[in-house]
Amino acid sequence: MNGLLNINKPRGLTSHDVVLCVRRKTKVKKVGHAGTLDPQATGVLLLLVGQATKIAQFISSWPKEYHARLRLGITTTTQDIWGEVLEEVEAGHILFEEVKEAVLCFSGEILQVPPMVSATWCKGKRLYQLARRGEEVERVPRRVEIYEWKLLDFDPGKNPELSFKVKCSAGTYIRTLCHDLGQALGVGGCLVSLVRTKIGSYHLASSISLEEFESRDCGEVILPIDQVLHHLPLVRVSGYGAEHINHGRPLESSWIEETEGRIEEGSTIRIYDPSVKLLALARTTQSLCRPGIVARLLRVLN
């Protein structure tokens, strides 16, 4: 019961609702998610079970991919169609060519102001908690990166709608992209639908529904931690070294018995004991060939 679960989150449930379902089924208290999805959004939600919760920081930073739909001419309190409408204007004059040109301004590294209805922390509270109390606070713009923004279709009309695919860094708000694009076009805009299709190398096509999860054996669908981190180079240490690693001591070159993969200074590595049990994750501080401490532990997984 230690590993990763790729769930296709249904519309209408919060990410925490899904966590509760997995806790109930697995009877494991430690369950978390690696990147929340809004209740009305669907798609890939990665759940971490048991000891896998210790690797959340390594997974939550993976890039993400979404398919979304945007409606022009409507501005709301939540930047999506389910919020209170603040302004509605005629946007029928907006042409597809104008949209394509405006999208070019939202590529590469950009600044985003987190929406008030979001899980971002501010003064010890989630922004959405403050929003529920009717408070609005100044938010510090955050740097995010848009790797690709591809327009898929455009439906003209009083309030034109367009579908798009976007690949972006962790922490990017698609609602805010829709809002900001609408502002750039001078008519406002809001998100109409959102599907997360990918996190890192985990696709929507390989996800399972909650219903399927409930009907199957947990061992069949929960991916082992080792498989989740297979892309990281590994180091095997002696039994003596394993004992020290389990006590949280940094990796010393004299403990290393074998390595696999390309390892450079600053690399994140997996550390195994002689029985091929995953012990910890670490970041190298110098070449493994040099004597002394060569890596500092990031997470001990015992």
Side-chain angles (χ1 to χ4, degrees):
M1 291 300 176
N2 298 306
L4 179 142
L5 185 60
N6 182 2
I7 291 287
N8 180 1
K9 190 191 85 65
R11 183 176 287 107
L13 292 185
T14 67
S15 299
H16 187 62
D17 290 336
V18 180
V19 167
L20 293 178
C21 290
V22 174
R23 281 180 185 162
R24 184 172 59 249
K25 166 76 173 178
T26 61
K27 296 181 172 57
V28 175
K29 186 176 180 179
K30 288 185 177 181
V31 178
H33 58 73
T36 188
L37 269 179
D38 292 337
Q40 297 301 325
T42 65
V44 175
L45 183 67
L46 298 184
L47 280 295
L48 302 170
V49 182
Q51 291 293 313
T53 54
K54 293 183 176 181
I55 65 170
Q57 69 188 91
F58 304 97
I59 294 177
S60 59
S61 61
W62 288 347
K64 298 173 173 63
E65 180 180 292
Y66 299 88
H67 281 199
R69 192 162 182 84
L70 157 68
R71 184 175 298 168
L72 293 172
I74 298 177
T75 303
T76 73
T77 54
T78 56
Q79 302 180 344
D80 58 36
I81 198 63
W82 301 282
E84 178 186 348
V85 175
L86 296 174
E87 185 179 22
E88 184 169 356
V89 301
E90 171 72 47
H93 61 283
I94 300 294
L95 303 176
F96 189 39
E97 292 302 318
E98 293 178 78
V99 177
K100 288 195 291 185
E101 185 175 345
V103 163
L104 295 177
C105 299
F106 297 90
S107 62
E109 193 176 84
I110 64 171
L111 288 175
Q112 269 196 342
V113 177
M116 274 303 302
V117 184
S118 69
T120 300
W121 289 97
C122 180
K123 299 178 181 177
K125 297 282 187 181
R126 301 284 191 181
L127 283 176
Y128 67 77
Q129 294 174 316
L130 299 176
R132 286 172 183 169
R133 299 194 315 212
E135 297 180 31
E136 180 159 356
V137 296
E138 186 175 350
R139 285 95 70 199
V140 177
R142 304 192 306 183
R143 293 188 183 276
V144 297
E145 190 160 1
I146 308 301
Y147 306 119
E148 180 185 6
W149 189 343
K150 182 179 181 181
L151 300 177
L152 302 176
D153 62 53
F154 181 79
D155 294 332
K158 177 184 175 182
N159 294 112
E161 291 192 4
L162 57 108
S163 296
F164 62 88
K165 177 178 77 171
V166 62
K167 296 179 182 179
C168 55
S169 64
T172 303
Y173 285 98
I174 308 305
R175 286 181 286 142
T176 303
L177 275 182
C178 294
H179 171 84
D180 291 350
L181 178 62
Q183 293 299 309
L185 291 167
V187 294
C190 66
L191 179 73
V192 175
S193 66
L194 181 67
V195 181
R196 186 153 65 194
T197 53
K198 189 179 178 184
I199 299 179
S201 60
Y202 292 91
H203 295 256
L204 183 60
S206 59
S207 67
I208 62 171
S209 66
L210 273 180
E211 290 78 10
E212 184 180 356
F213 171 68
E214 292 283 358
S215 66
R216 294 181 62 180
D217 181 84
C218 294
E220 296 177 355
V221 292
I222 296 179
L223 304 175
I225 298 175
D226 187 63
Q227 184 175 332
V228 176
L229 300 173
H230 72 279
H231 60 288
L232 297 177
L234 67 87
V235 171
R236 287 194 186 90
V237 297
S238 63
Y240 176 79
E243 185 176 343
H244 284 288
I245 294 293
N246 277 324
H247 285 88
R249 298 192 179 106
L251 175 66
E252 295 193 17
S253 57
S254 60
W255 304 342
I256 298 173
E257 295 193 333
E258 185 181 2
T259 66
E260 288 183 19
R262 184 176 179 179
I263 303 176
E264 301 173 334
E265 184 177 333
S267 294
T268 301
I269 59 173
R270 298 172 285 163
I271 301 178
Y272 290 80
D273 69 8
S275 66
V276 201
K277 176 187 175 184
L278 180 60
L279 298 176
L281 298 176
R283 180 161 294 128
T284 58
T285 55
Q286 62 178 34
S287 169
L288 301 189
C289 299
R290 296 176 61 184
I293 293 173
V294 292
R296 300 287 179 181
L297 300 187
L298 298 171
R299 271 293 184 181
V300 177
L301 302 173
N302 58 14

